[in-house]
Coordinates of all heavy atoms in Angstrom, one line a residue:
M1 N -2.9 -5.3 14.9 CA -2.9 -5.3 13.4 C -3.6 -6.5 12.8 O -4.2 -6.3 11.8 CB -1.4 -5.4 13.1 CG -0.7 -4.2 12.5 SD -0.6 -2.7 13.4 CE 0.5 -3.1 14.8
A2 N -3.5 -7.7 13.6 CA -4.1 -8.8 13.1 C -5.8 -8.6 13.1 O -6.4 -9.1 12.3 CB -3.8 -9.9 14.0
I3 N -6.3 -7.8 14.1 CA -7.7 -7.5 14.1 C -8.1 -6.7 13.0 O -9.1 -6.9 12.4 CB -8.0 -6.8 15.4 CG1 -7.6 -7.7 16.6 CG2 -9.5 -6.5 15.5 CD1 -8.6 -8.1 17.6
A4 N -7.3 -5.8 12.6 CA -7.6 -4.9 11.4 C -7.6 -5.7 10.1 O -8.5 -5.6 9.3 CB -6.6 -3.8 11.2
F5 N -6.6 -6.6 10.0 CA -6.6 -7.5 8.8 C -7.8 -8.5 8.7 O -8.5 -8.5 7.7 CB -5.2 -8.3 8.8 CG -5.3 -9.3 7.6 CD1 -4.8 -8.8 6.5 CD2 -5.6 -10.6 7.7 CE1 -4.7 -9.7 5.4 CE2 -5.5 -11.5 6.7 CZ -5.1 -11.0 5.4
L6 N -8.2 -9.1 9.9 CA -9.3 -10.0 9.9 C -10.6 -9.2 9.7 O -11.5 -9.7 9.0 CB -9.4 -10.7 11.3 CG -8.3 -11.7 11.5 CD1 -8.4 -12.3 12.8 CD2 -8.3 -12.8 10.4
A7 N -10.7 -8.0 10.2 CA -12.0 -7.3 10.0 C -12.1 -6.8 8.5 O -13.2 -6.9 8.0 CB -12.0 -6.1 10.9
A8 N -11.1 -6.4 8.0 CA -11.0 -6.0 6.6 C -11.3 -7.2 5.7 O -11.9 -7.1 4.7 CB -9.7 -5.2 6.3
F9 N -10.7 -8.3 6.1 CA -10.8 -9.6 5.2 C -12.3 -10.0 5.2 O -12.9 -10.3 4.2 CB -10.0 -10.7 5.9 CG -9.8 -11.9 5.0 CD1 -8.9 -12.0 4.2 CD2 -10.6 -13.0 5.4 CE1 -8.7 -13.2 3.3 CE2 -10.4 -14.1 4.6 CZ -9.6 -14.2 3.5
L10 N -13.0 -9.9 6.4 CA -14.3 -10.3 6.4 C -15.2 -9.3 5.6 O -16.1 -9.6 5.0 CB -14.8 -10.2 7.9 CG -16.3 -10.6 8.1 CD1 -16.5 -12.1 7.8 CD2 -16.6 -10.5 9.6
V11 N -14.9 -8.0 5.8 CA -15.7 -7.0 5.0 C -15.5 -7.2 3.5 O -16.4 -7.0 2.7 CB -15.3 -5.5 5.5 CG1 -15.8 -4.5 4.4 CG2 -15.7 -5.3 6.8
A12 N -14.3 -7.5 3.2 CA -14.0 -7.7 1.7 C -14.8 -8.9 1.1 O -15.3 -9.0 0.1 CB -12.5 -7.8 1.5
I13 N -14.7 -10.0 1.9 CA -15.5 -11.2 1.5 C -17.0 -11.0 1.4 O -17.6 -11.3 0.3 CB -15.2 -12.4 2.5 CG1 -13.8 -12.9 2.3 CG2 -16.2 -13.5 2.2 CD1 -13.4 -14.0 3.2
L14 N -17.5 -10.3 2.4 CA -18.9 -10.0 2.4 C -19.3 -9.0 1.2 O -20.4 -9.1 0.6 CB -19.4 -9.5 3.7 CG -19.5 -10.5 4.8 CD1 -19.8 -9.8 6.2 CD2 -20.4 -11.5 4.6
S15 N -18.4 -8.1 1.0 CA -18.6 -7.2 -0.1 C -18.6 -7.9 -1.5 O -19.6 -7.5 -2.4 CB -17.5 -6.1 -0.1 OG -17.5 -5.3 1.0
Q16 N -17.7 -8.8 -1.7 CA -17.7 -9.6 -2.9 C -19.1 -10.4 -3.1 O -19.6 -10.4 -4.1 CB -16.5 -10.6 -2.9 CG -15.2 -9.8 -3.1 CD -14.9 -9.3 -4.4 OE1 -15.6 -9.7 -5.5 NE2 -13.9 -8.5 -4.6
I17 N -19.4 -11.1 -2.0 CA -20.7 -11.9 -2.0 C -21.9 -11.0 -2.3 O -22.7 -11.3 -3.2 CB -20.8 -12.7 -0.7 CG1 -19.7 -13.7 -0.7 CG2 -22.2 -13.4 -0.7 CD1 -19.5 -14.4 0.7
F18 N -22.0 -9.9 -1.6 CA -23.2 -9.1 -1.7 C -23.2 -8.4 -3.1 O -24.3 -8.3 -3.7 CB -23.2 -8.0 -0.6 CG -23.5 -8.4 0.8 CD1 -23.2 -7.7 1.9 CD2 -24.1 -9.7 0.9 CE1 -23.4 -8.1 3.1 CE2 -24.4 -10.1 2.3 CZ -24.0 -9.3 3.3
A19 N -22.0 -8.0 -3.7 CA -21.9 -7.5 -5.0 C -22.4 -8.5 -5.9 O -23.1 -8.1 -7.0 CB -20.6 -7.0 -5.3
R20 N -22.1 -9.7 -5.9 CA -22.5 -10.8 -6.8 C -23.9 -11.1 -6.8 O -24.7 -11.2 -7.8 CB -21.8 -12.0 -6.6 CG -20.2 -11.9 -6.6 CD -19.6 -12.2 -8.0 NE -18.2 -12.3 -8.0 CZ -17.3 -11.3 -8.1 NH1 -17.8 -10.1 -8.1 NH2 -16.0 -11.5 -8.1
V21 N -24.6 -11.1 -5.5 CA -25.9 -11.4 -5.4 C -26.8 -10.3 -5.8 O -27.8 -10.5 -6.6 CB -26.2 -11.6 -3.8 CG1 -27.7 -11.7 -3.6 CG2 -25.6 -13.0 -3.4
S22 N -26.4 -9.0 -5.5 CA -27.2 -7.8 -6.0 C -26.8 -7.3 -7.4 O -27.4 -6.3 -7.8 CB -27.2 -6.8 -4.9 OG -25.8 -6.2 -4.9
R23 N -25.8 -7.8 -8.0 CA -25.3 -7.3 -9.2 C -24.9 -5.9 -9.2 O -25.4 -5.2 -10.1 CB -26.3 -7.7 -10.4 CG -26.4 -9.1 -10.6 CD -27.2 -9.5 -11.8 NE -27.3 -11.0 -11.9 CZ -28.0 -11.5 -12.8 NH1 -28.7 -10.9 -13.6 NH2 -28.0 -12.8 -12.8
A24 N -24.2 -5.4 -8.2 CA -23.8 -4.1 -7.9 C -22.3 -4.1 -7.9 O -21.6 -5.2 -7.7 CB -24.3 -3.6 -6.7
P25 N -21.7 -3.0 -8.0 CA -20.2 -2.9 -7.9 C -19.7 -3.2 -6.5 O -20.4 -2.9 -5.5 CB -20.0 -1.4 -8.2 CG -21.1 -0.8 -8.9 CD -22.2 -1.7 -8.4
V26 N -18.5 -3.9 -6.4 CA -18.0 -4.3 -5.2 C -17.7 -3.1 -4.3 O -17.9 -3.0 -3.0 CB -16.8 -5.1 -5.4 CG1 -16.1 -5.5 -4.0 CG2 -17.1 -6.4 -6.1
T27 N -17.2 -2.0 -4.9 CA -16.8 -0.8 -4.1 C -18.0 -0.1 -3.4 O -17.7 0.5 -2.4 CB -16.2 0.2 -5.1 OG1 -17.2 0.5 -6.1 CG2 -14.9 -0.2 -5.7
L28 N -19.2 -0.4 -3.9 CA -20.4 0.1 -3.1 C -20.5 -0.4 -1.7 O -20.7 0.3 -0.8 CB -21.6 -0.2 -3.9 CG -23.0 0.2 -3.3 CD1 -23.2 1.6 -3.4 CD2 -24.1 -0.6 -4.0
Y29 N -20.2 -1.7 -1.6 CA -20.1 -2.3 -0.2 C -18.8 -2.3 0.4 O -18.8 -2.1 1.6 CB -20.5 -3.9 -0.4 CG -21.9 -4.1 -1.0 CD1 -22.1 -4.4 -2.3 CD2 -23.0 -3.9 -0.2 CE1 -23.4 -4.6 -2.8 CE2 -24.4 -4.0 -0.8 CZ -24.5 -4.5 -2.1 OH -25.7 -4.6 -2.6
L30 N -17.8 -2.2 -0.3 CA -16.4 -2.2 0.3 C -16.2 -0.9 1.0 O -15.6 -0.9 2.1 CB -15.4 -2.5 -0.8 CG -14.0 -2.8 -0.3 CD1 -14.0 -4.0 0.6 CD2 -13.1 -3.0 -1.5
V31 N -16.5 0.2 0.3 CA -16.2 1.4 0.9 C -16.9 1.7 2.1 O -16.4 2.2 3.2 CB -16.3 2.6 -0.2 CG1 -16.3 4.0 0.5 CG2 -15.4 2.5 -1.2
T32 N -18.2 1.3 2.1 CA -19.0 1.6 3.4 C -18.6 0.7 4.4 O -18.8 1.0 5.7 CB -20.6 1.4 3.0 OG1 -20.7 0.2 2.4 CG2 -21.0 2.4 2.0
G33 N -18.1 -0.6 4.1 CA -17.7 -1.5 5.1 C -16.4 -1.1 5.8 O -16.1 -1.4 6.9
I34 N -15.4 -0.6 5.0 CA -14.1 -0.4 5.3 C -14.1 1.0 6.1 O -13.1 1.1 6.9 CB -13.1 -0.3 4.1 CG1 -13.0 -1.8 3.5 CG2 -11.7 0.2 4.5 CD1 -12.4 -2.8 4.5
L35 N -14.9 1.9 5.9 CA -14.8 3.2 6.4 C -14.7 3.2 8.0 O -13.8 3.9 8.5 CB -16.0 4.1 6.0 CG -15.9 5.5 6.2 CD1 -14.8 6.1 5.4 CD2 -17.2 6.2 5.8
P36 N -15.4 2.4 8.7 CA -15.2 2.4 10.3 C -13.8 1.9 10.6 O -13.4 2.0 11.7 CB -16.4 1.5 10.7 CG -17.3 1.5 9.5 CD -16.6 1.6 8.3
L37 N -13.2 1.1 9.7 CA -11.8 0.5 10.1 C -10.7 1.5 9.9 O -9.6 1.2 10.4 CB -11.6 -0.8 9.3 CG -12.6 -1.8 9.4 CD1 -12.2 -3.0 8.4 CD2 -12.7 -2.4 10.8
V38 N -10.9 2.6 9.2 CA -9.8 3.6 9.0 C -9.4 4.2 10.3 O -10.3 4.6 11.1 CB -10.3 4.7 8.0 CG1 -9.3 5.7 7.8 CG2 -10.6 4.1 6.6
P39 N -8.0 4.2 10.5 CA -7.4 4.7 11.8 C -7.5 6.1 11.9 O -6.4 6.8 11.9 CB -6.1 4.1 11.7 CG -5.8 3.9 10.3 CD -7.0 3.6 9.6
G40 N -8.7 6.8 12.0 CA -8.8 8.1 12.1 C -8.1 8.8 13.4 O -7.5 9.8 13.3
V41 N -8.3 8.2 14.6 CA -7.7 8.7 15.8 C -6.2 8.7 15.7 O -5.6 9.7 16.1 CB -8.2 7.8 17.0 CG1 -7.4 8.2 18.3 CG2 -9.7 7.9 17.2
S42 N -5.6 7.7 15.2 CA -4.1 7.7 15.0 C -3.6 8.8 14.0 O -2.5 9.3 14.1 CB -3.5 6.3 14.8 OG -4.0 5.8 13.6
M43 N -4.4 9.0 12.9 CA -4.1 10.0 12.1 C -4.1 11.4 12.6 O -3.2 12.2 12.5 CB -5.0 10.0 10.8 CG -4.7 8.9 9.8 SD -5.7 9.0 8.4 CE -7.1 8.1 8.8
Y44 N -5.2 11.5 13.5 CA -5.3 12.8 14.2 C -4.1 13.1 15.2 O -3.6 14.1 15.2 CB -6.7 12.9 15.0 CG -6.8 13.9 16.0 CD1 -7.1 15.2 15.6 CD2 -6.5 13.8 17.2 CE1 -7.2 16.3 16.3 CE2 -6.6 14.9 18.1 CZ -7.0 16.1 17.7 OH -7.1 17.2 18.5
R45 N -3.7 12.0 15.9 CA -2.6 12.1 16.8 C -1.4 12.4 16.1 O -0.5 13.1 16.7 CB -2.7 10.9 17.8 CG -3.8 10.8 18.7 CD -3.7 9.6 19.6 NE -4.8 9.6 20.5 CZ -5.2 8.6 21.3 NH1 -4.6 7.4 21.1 NH2 -6.3 8.7 22.0
T46 N -1.2 11.8 15.0 CA 0.0 12.0 14.2 C 0.2 13.5 13.9 O 1.3 14.1 14.2 CB 0.0 11.2 12.9 OG1 -0.1 9.8 13.2 CG2 1.2 11.5 12.0
V47 N -0.9 14.2 13.4 CA -0.9 15.6 13.1 C -0.8 16.4 14.3 O 0.0 17.4 14.4 CB -2.2 15.9 12.3 CG1 -2.1 17.4 12.0 CG2 -2.0 15.1 10.9
Y48 N -1.5 16.0 15.4 CA -1.4 16.7 16.6 C 0.0 16.8 17.2 O 0.5 17.8 17.5 CB -2.4 16.1 17.6 CG -2.3 16.8 19.0 CD1 -2.9 18.0 19.2 CD2 -1.7 16.2 20.1 CE1 -2.9 18.7 20.4 CE2 -1.6 16.8 21.3 CZ -2.3 18.0 21.5 OH -2.2 18.6 22.7
Y49 N 0.7 15.6 17.2 CA 2.0 15.7 17.8 C 3.1 16.2 16.9 O 4.1 16.8 17.2 CB 2.4 14.2 18.2 CG 1.7 13.7 19.5 CD1 0.8 12.7 19.4 CD2 1.8 14.5 20.7 CE1 0.2 12.3 20.6 CE2 1.1 14.1 21.8 CZ 0.3 13.0 21.7 OH -0.3 12.6 22.9
L50 N 2.7 16.2 15.6 CA 3.6 16.9 14.7 C 3.6 18.5 14.9 O 4.6 19.0 14.9 CB 3.2 16.5 13.2 CG 4.0 17.2 12.1 CD1 5.3 16.7 12.0 CD2 3.3 17.0 10.8
L51 N 2.3 18.9 15.1 CA 2.3 20.4 15.4 C 2.8 20.7 16.7 O 3.2 21.8 17.0 CB 0.8 20.8 15.3 CG 0.2 20.7 13.9 CD1 -1.4 21.0 13.9 CD2 0.9 21.6 13.0
Q52 N 2.8 19.8 17.7 CA 3.4 20.0 19.0 C 4.9 19.8 19.0 O 5.6 19.9 20.0 CB 2.8 19.0 20.0 CG 1.2 19.2 20.2 CD 1.0 20.6 20.9 OE1 1.6 21.1 21.7 NE2 -0.1 21.2 20.4
S53 N 5.5 19.4 17.9 CA 6.9 19.2 17.6 C 7.5 18.0 18.6 O 8.6 18.1 19.0 CB 7.7 20.4 17.9 OG 7.4 21.5 17.1
N54 N 6.7 17.0 18.8 CA 7.0 15.9 19.5 C 7.3 14.8 18.5 O 6.4 14.1 18.0 CB 5.9 15.4 20.5 CG 6.3 14.3 21.4 OD1 7.2 13.6 21.1 ND2 5.6 14.2 22.5
Q55 N 8.5 14.7 18.1 CA 9.0 13.8 17.0 C 8.7 12.2 17.4 O 8.3 11.5 16.5 CB 10.4 14.0 16.7 CG 10.7 15.4 16.2 CD 11.0 15.4 14.8 OE1 11.6 14.5 14.2 NE2 10.5 16.5 14.1
E56 N 9.0 12.0 18.5 CA 8.9 10.6 19.0 C 7.4 10.1 18.8 O 7.1 9.0 18.3 CB 9.4 10.4 20.3 CG 9.3 9.0 20.9 CD 9.9 8.8 22.3 OE1 10.7 9.6 22.8 OE2 9.5 7.8 23.0
L57 N 6.4 10.8 19.4 CA 5.0 10.4 19.3 C 4.5 10.5 17.9 O 3.7 9.7 17.4 CB 4.2 11.1 20.3 CG 4.4 10.7 21.7 CD1 3.6 11.6 22.7 CD2 4.0 9.3 22.0
T58 N 5.0 11.5 17.2 CA 4.6 11.7 15.7 C 4.9 10.4 15.0 O 4.1 9.8 14.2 CB 5.3 12.9 15.2 OG1 4.8 14.1 15.9 CG2 4.9 13.1 13.7
M59 N 6.2 9.9 15.1 CA 6.7 8.8 14.4 C 5.9 7.5 14.9 O 5.5 6.7 14.0 CB 8.2 8.6 14.4 CG 8.9 9.8 13.7 SD 8.4 10.0 12.0 CE 8.7 8.4 11.2
H60 N 5.6 7.4 16.1 CA 5.0 6.3 16.6 C 3.5 6.1 16.0 O 3.1 5.1 15.5 CB 4.8 6.4 18.1 CG 3.9 5.3 18.8 ND1 4.2 4.0 18.8 CD2 2.7 5.5 19.3 CE1 3.2 3.4 19.4 NE2 2.3 4.3 19.6
Y61 N 2.8 7.2 16.0 CA 1.4 7.2 15.6 C 1.4 7.2 13.9 O 0.6 6.6 13.4 CB 0.6 8.5 16.0 CG 0.2 8.2 17.5 CD1 0.8 9.0 18.5 CD2 -0.8 7.2 17.8 CE1 0.3 8.8 19.9 CE2 -1.1 7.1 19.1 CZ -0.5 7.8 20.1 OH -1.0 7.6 21.4
F62 N 2.4 7.7 13.4 CA 2.5 7.7 11.9 C 2.8 6.2 11.5 O 2.2 5.6 10.5 CB 3.6 8.6 11.4 CG 3.7 8.6 9.9 CD1 2.8 9.1 9.1 CD2 4.9 8.0 9.3 CE1 2.9 9.1 7.7 CE2 5.0 8.0 8.0 CZ 4.0 8.5 7.1
S63 N 3.7 5.5 12.2 CA 4.0 4.2 11.9 C 2.8 3.3 12.2 O 2.4 2.3 11.4 CB 5.1 3.7 12.6 OG 5.2 2.3 12.9
Y64 N 2.0 3.5 13.3 CA 0.9 2.8 13.6 C -0.2 2.9 12.5 O -0.8 1.9 12.0 CB 0.3 3.1 14.9 CG -0.9 2.4 15.5 CD1 -0.8 1.1 15.8 CD2 -2.1 3.0 15.4 CE1 -1.9 0.4 16.3 CE2 -3.2 2.3 15.9 CZ -3.1 1.0 16.2 OH -4.2 0.3 16.7
T65 N -0.4 4.1 12.1 CA -1.4 4.4 11.1 C -1.1 3.7 9.7 O -1.9 3.1 9.1 CB -1.5 6.0 10.8 OG1 -1.8 6.7 12.0 CG2 -2.5 6.3 9.8
L66 N 0.2 3.7 9.3 CA 0.6 3.0 8.2 C 0.5 1.6 8.2 O 0.1 0.9 7.3 CB 2.0 3.4 7.7 CG 2.3 4.8 7.2 CD1 3.8 5.0 6.8 CD2 1.4 5.0 6.0
Q67 N 0.7 1.0 9.4 CA 0.5 -0.4 9.5 C -0.9 -0.9 9.4 O -1.2 -1.8 8.8 CB 1.1 -0.9 10.9 CG 2.7 -0.8 10.9 CD 3.2 -1.1 12.4 OE1 2.4 -1.5 13.3 NE2 4.5 -0.8 12.5
I68 N -1.8 -0.2 10.0 CA -3.2 -0.5 10.0 C -3.8 -0.3 8.6 O -4.5 -1.1 8.1 CB -4.0 0.4 11.0 CG1 -3.7 0.1 12.4 CG2 -5.6 0.2 10.8 CD1 -4.0 -1.2 13.0
A69 N -3.4 0.8 7.9 CA -3.8 1.0 6.6 C -3.3 -0.1 5.6 O -4.0 -0.5 4.7 CB -3.5 2.4 6.1
G70 N -2.1 -0.5 5.9 CA -1.5 -1.5 5.1 C -2.2 -2.8 5.3 O -2.3 -3.7 4.3
M71 N -2.6 -3.2 6.5 CA -3.3 -4.5 6.7 C -4.7 -4.4 6.1 O -5.1 -5.4 5.5 CB -3.4 -4.7 8.2 CG -2.2 -5.0 9.0 SD -1.5 -6.6 8.4 CE -0.1 -6.2 7.5
I72 N -5.3 -3.3 6.1 CA -6.6 -3.2 5.4 C -6.4 -3.3 3.9 O -7.2 -4.1 3.3 CB -7.2 -1.8 5.7 CG1 -7.7 -1.6 7.2 CG2 -8.5 -1.5 4.9 CD1 -8.0 -0.4 7.7
A73 N -5.5 -2.7 3.3 CA -5.2 -2.8 1.9 C -4.8 -4.2 1.5 O -5.2 -4.7 0.5 CB -4.1 -1.7 1.5
L74 N -4.1 -4.9 2.4 CA -3.6 -6.3 2.0 C -4.7 -7.1 2.1 O -4.8 -8.1 1.2 CB -2.5 -6.7 3.1 CG -1.9 -8.1 2.9 CD1 -1.2 -8.2 1.6 CD2 -0.9 -8.4 4.0
A75 N -5.7 -7.0 3.0 CA -6.8 -7.9 3.2 C -7.7 -7.8 1.9 O -8.2 -8.8 1.3 CB -7.6 -7.6 4.4
I76 N -7.9 -6.5 1.5 CA -8.7 -6.3 0.3 C -8.0 -6.9 -1.0 O -8.7 -7.5 -1.7 CB -8.9 -4.8 0.0 CG1 -9.8 -4.2 1.1 CG2 -9.5 -4.5 -1.3 CD1 -9.8 -2.7 1.2
F77 N -6.7 -6.8 -1.1 CA -6.1 -7.4 -2.2 C -6.1 -8.9 -2.2 O -6.3 -9.5 -3.2 CB -4.5 -6.9 -2.1 CG -3.7 -7.6 -3.2 CD1 -3.7 -7.2 -4.5 CD2 -2.8 -8.5 -2.8 CE1 -2.9 -7.8 -5.5 CE2 -2.0 -9.2 -3.8 CZ -2.1 -8.8 -5.1
V78 N -6.0 -9.6 -1.1 CA -6.0 -10.9 -0.9 C -7.3 -11.5 -1.3 O -7.5 -12.5 -2.1 CB -5.6 -11.4 0.5 CG1 -6.0 -13.0 0.7 CG2 -4.1 -11.2 0.8
V79 N -8.4 -10.9 -0.9 CA -9.8 -11.4 -1.1 C -10.1 -11.1 -2.7 O -10.7 -12.0 -3.3 CB -10.7 -10.7 -0.2 CG1 -12.2 -10.9 -0.7 CG2 -10.6 -11.2 1.2
D80 N -9.7 -9.9 -3.2 CA -9.9 -9.7 -4.5 C -9.3 -10.5 -5.5 O -9.8 -11.1 -6.5 CB -9.6 -8.2 -4.8 CG -10.0 -7.7 -6.3 OD1 -11.2 -7.9 -6.5 OD2 -9.2 -7.2 -7.0
S81 N -7.9 -10.9 -5.1 CA -7.2 -11.8 -5.9 C -7.9 -13.2 -5.9 O -7.9 -13.9 -6.9 CB -5.7 -11.9 -5.4 OG -5.2 -10.7 -5.6
F82 N -8.3 -13.6 -4.8 CA -9.0 -14.9 -4.6 C -10.2 -15.0 -5.5 O -10.4 -15.9 -6.2 CB -9.3 -15.1 -3.1 CG -10.1 -16.4 -2.9 CD1 -9.3 -17.7 -3.0 CD2 -11.4 -16.4 -2.6 CE1 -9.9 -18.8 -2.7 CE2 -12.0 -17.6 -2.3 CZ -11.3 -18.8 -2.4
F83 N -11.1 -14.0 -5.4 CA -12.3 -14.0 -6.1 C -12.0 -13.9 -7.6 O -12.7 -14.5 -8.4 CB -13.2 -12.9 -5.7 CG -14.1 -13.4 -4.5 CD1 -13.7 -13.1 -3.3 CD2 -15.4 -13.8 -4.8 CE1 -14.5 -13.6 -2.2 CE2 -16.2 -14.3 -3.7 CZ -15.7 -14.1 -2.5
K84 N -11.0 -13.1 -8.1 CA -10.7 -13.1 -9.5 C -10.2 -14.4 -10.0 O -10.4 -14.8 -11.1 CB -9.6 -12.0 -9.8 CG -10.2 -10.6 -9.7 CD -9.1 -9.6 -10.3 CE -9.8 -8.2 -10.2 NZ -9.0 -7.3 -10.5
R85 N -9.4 -15.2 -9.1 CA -8.9 -16.5 -9.6 C -10.0 -17.4 -9.7 O -10.1 -18.2 -10.7 CB -7.9 -16.9 -8.5 CG -7.3 -18.2 -8.9 CD -6.2 -18.1 -9.9 NE -5.0 -17.7 -9.3 CZ -3.9 -17.9 -10.0 NH1 -3.8 -18.5 -11.2 NH2 -2.7 -17.4 -9.4
I86 N -10.9 -17.5 -8.7 CA -12.1 -18.3 -8.9 C -13.0 -18.0 -10.1 O -13.5 -18.8 -10.8 CB -13.0 -18.1 -7.6 CG1 -12.3 -18.9 -6.5 CG2 -14.3 -18.9 -7.8 CD1 -13.0 -18.7 -5.1
Y87 N -13.2 -16.7 -10.4 CA -14.0 -16.3 -11.5 C -13.5 -16.6 -12.8 O -14.1 -17.1 -13.7 CB -14.2 -14.8 -11.4 CG -15.3 -14.2 -12.4 CD1 -16.6 -14.5 -12.2 CD2 -14.8 -13.5 -13.5 CE1 -17.5 -14.1 -13.2 CE2 -15.8 -13.1 -14.5 CZ -17.1 -13.3 -14.3 OH -18.0 -12.9 -15.2
Q88 N -12.1 -16.7 -12.9 CA -11.3 -17.0 -14.1 C -11.5 -18.5 -14.3 O -11.6 -19.0 -15.5 CB -9.8 -16.8 -14.0 CG -9.6 -15.2 -14.2 CD -8.1 -14.9 -14.0 OE1 -7.3 -15.9 -13.5 NE2 -7.7 -13.8 -14.4
K89 N -11.5 -19.3 -13.3 CA -11.6 -20.8 -13.4 C -13.1 -21.2 -13.7 O -13.3 -22.2 -14.6 CB -11.2 -21.5 -12.1 CG -9.8 -21.5 -11.8 CD -9.3 -22.3 -10.7 CE -7.8 -22.2 -10.5 NZ -7.2 -23.4 -10.1
I90 N -14.1 -20.4 -13.4 CA -15.4 -20.7 -13.8 C -15.6 -20.4 -15.1 O -16.3 -21.2 -16.0 CB -16.4 -20.0 -12.8 CG1 -16.4 -20.5 -11.4 CG2 -17.8 -19.9 -13.4 CD1 -17.2 -19.6 -10.4
N91 N -15.1 -19.3 -15.7 CA -15.3 -18.9 -17.1 C -14.2 -19.5 -18.0 O -13.6 -19.6 -18.5 CB -15.3 -17.3 -17.2 CG -16.7 -16.8 -16.6 OD1 -17.7 -17.5 -16.6 ND2 -16.6 -15.7 -16.2

C-alpha cells in the first residue's frame, strides 16, 4: 500500500508542476499518470472469485482493491491540498 501511495504522490506532484508550467489542466497529466496505478488485476480477481462463489478470496481481493484505490485517492488529495494552500498564500 505504501508503494501505491508514494507512486500516486509523485505522479500528483509532477502533474501539478507540469500543469503550472504548460498552463494546462492538472487532470490532463493526473489521469494519464494515475491510470497505470489502478489495481486492475485485483478488480478482475474480485469479480472472478465472486462468480466462482469463493467468498473468502472475493473479500480478500475486494479489500485489497479498495485499499490501493484509497491510497491513490489520499495521495492526490494531500498533494492537491498542499498546492492549493501554497497558491492561496502567494495570492
Side-chain angles (χ1 to χ4, degrees):
M1 258 57 70
I3 301 230
F5 179 82
L6 291 174
F9 191 81
L10 180 64
V11 167
I13 287 174
L14 291 174
S15 297
Q16 290 283 346
I17 292 170
F18 291 158
R20 303 267 190 275
V21 169
S22 65
R23 295 185 180 176
V26 176
T27 53
L28 178 73
Y29 298 103
L30 190 60
V31 170
T32 56
I34 292 297
L35 197 60
L37 300 177
V38 174
V41 172
S42 60
M43 284 189 270
Y44 171 81
R45 288 181 179 162
T46 300
V47 174
Y48 176 78
Y49 288 119
L50 178 67
L51 295 174
Q52 296 295 322
S53 299
N54 188 336
Q55 299 251 323
E56 184 179 334
L57 285 175
T58 298
M59 291 310 295
H60 169 74
Y61 284 111
F62 181 69
S63 163
Y64 181 73
T65 302
L66 287 180
Q67 289 173 9
I68 297 294
M71 288 295 109
I72 293 169
L74 182 64
I76 293 169
F77 174 74
V78 168
V79 171
D80 189 51
S81 297
F82 178 73
F83 272 87
K84 281 186 181 181
R85 183 71 87 157
I86 288 175
Y87 189 69
Q88 286 176 350
K89 288 190 181 215
I90 290 173
N91 290 329

